[in-house]
């Protein structure tokens, strides 16, 4: 019998072990451009190892997944952080596990965004591939571009696998 | 009598001297995540001089400007590129002039985005501050964070100033 994993609301504090939440809510800002613009600085660390790579800006059109979904495989990027920021207010689900060589089932965490949030996975953090959930969604991505292997995949042992399911009906 | 400057539709080719247009329309992509995601790679060069600085992700809430507007002051960032990508499909206007120590009025160009486009100003490109036009809009910004002077401003000579105005009524 597979254990369930329920996504909890994404908050900066809860996500801190895995990276940053990219949002304006509750964050400090300063004015620029003669008070015309509120700038919320430095919401996520772009951490790209320079060896044969560089930070780049990409866009991604994601088709939605249906939940429940069996979490079987995670990936990590040993050479860079990876940020996703949704356009058009799309919420999405993130599944993460701490940095390390193994992934234990009890260490898996799932979060659902509120539509106004992006995330930045810290370098080396295990995560499920992008999980748009309601409808197709477009994301800004900021991560490493360049040659060389920057994606490790891990297949979870059967006991570590979880069924990702909504609490809500 | 001040000369008029009309924004033209933003296209990648027209904007090439100033930087990149961040959009998916007409761009190549490759599939990732078992064909679930179309990834449009490398849409803009993040060019941040490492001296005392680093690339960062910020958000900006911009109040709209009303056109016509007198273009009197431009700015440039000598240490970094600067990207703006609107959330929620907001169009905006960009006014740019080529890299150089002076700005000639005839070299000013203005563009209006289609709502699905962002821009990346190449390092050193002169540009007007962010011009949201229809309503308040939020933008993802990718530029340099760090100490040191990274914003030069230039006041245009009266003959180089232009009145930015819509063609449309």
């Amino acid at each position: 019998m597979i254990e369930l994993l329920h996504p909890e609301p994404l908050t900066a504090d809860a996500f801190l072990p895995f990276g940053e939440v990219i949002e304006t809510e509750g964050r400090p800002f300063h004015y620029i451009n003669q008070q015309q613009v509120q700038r919320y600085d430095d919401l996520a660390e772009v951490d790209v190892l320079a060896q044969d790579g560089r930070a780049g800006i990409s866009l991604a059109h994601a088709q939605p997944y249906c939940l429940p979904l069996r979490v079987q495989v995670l990936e990590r990027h040993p050479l860079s952080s990876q940020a996703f920021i949704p356009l058009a207010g799309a919420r999405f689900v993130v599944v993460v596990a701490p940095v390390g060589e193994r992934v234990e089932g009890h260490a898996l965490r799932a979060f659902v965004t509120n539509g106004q949030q992006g995330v930045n996975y810290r370098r080396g953090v295990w995560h499920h591939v992008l999980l748009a959930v309601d409808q197709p969604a477009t994301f800004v991505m900021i991560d490493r571009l360049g040659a060389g292997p920057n994606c490790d995949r891990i297949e979870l042992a059967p006991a570590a696998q979880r069924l990702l399911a909504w609490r809500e009906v």
Side-chain angles (χ1 to χ4, degrees), chain A:
Chain A
M1 180 70 180
I2 188 167
E3 288 184 50
L4 293 177
L5 178 65
H6 294 293
E8 53 192 295
L10 181 66
T11 66
D13 283 351
F15 198 67
L16 193 60
F18 310 106
E20 299 103 355
V21 178
I22 301 169
E23 63 184 340
T24 58
E25 185 64 30
R27 303 302 178 85
F29 62 85
H30 63 277
Y31 281 105
I32 59 173
N33 304 354
Q34 295 90 42
Q35 322 298 310
Q36 196 84 0
V37 172
Q38 297 175 336
R39 179 169 173 155
Y40 298 77
D41 254 0
D42 204 6
L43 298 174
E45 187 189 1
V46 179
D47 177 16
V48 174
L49 299 189
Q51 54 195 63
D52 300 326
R54 60 195 164 79
I57 301 172
S58 302
L59 292 170
H61 281 317
Q63 294 300 314
Y65 282 80
C66 289
L67 268 51
L69 173 149
R70 194 181 184 104
V71 177
Q72 292 180 286
V73 175
L74 300 182
E75 61 182 41
R76 68 175 176 186
H77 308 298
L79 302 180
S80 73
S81 57
Q82 188 176 49
F84 292 94
I85 307 165
L87 304 180
R91 68 175 185 165
F92 61 108
V93 171
V94 301
V95 177
V96 285
V99 170
E101 289 314 302
R102 299 184 49 173
V103 173
E104 309 288 350
H106 62 78
L108 285 173
R109 298 281 294 278
F111 300 95
V112 58
T113 69
N114 65 12
Q116 309 309 310
Q117 297 169 316
V119 299
N120 187 46
Y121 299 121
R122 198 166 290 134
R123 183 159 57 86
V125 164
W126 292 107
H127 56 274
H128 195 279
V129 297
L130 186 60
L131 288 170
V133 285
D134 295 321
Q135 55 199 352
T138 303
F139 295 80
V140 180
M141 295 180 64
I142 298 109
D143 64 356
R144 177 183 177 275
L145 301 173
N150 188 27
C151 189
D152 297 335
R153 285 192 177 75
I154 192 168
E155 168 115 17
L156 303 186
Q161 295 180 12
R162 294 291 183 273
L163 191 68
L164 180 65
W166 295 109
R167 263 196 193 91
E168 63 193 86
V169 178

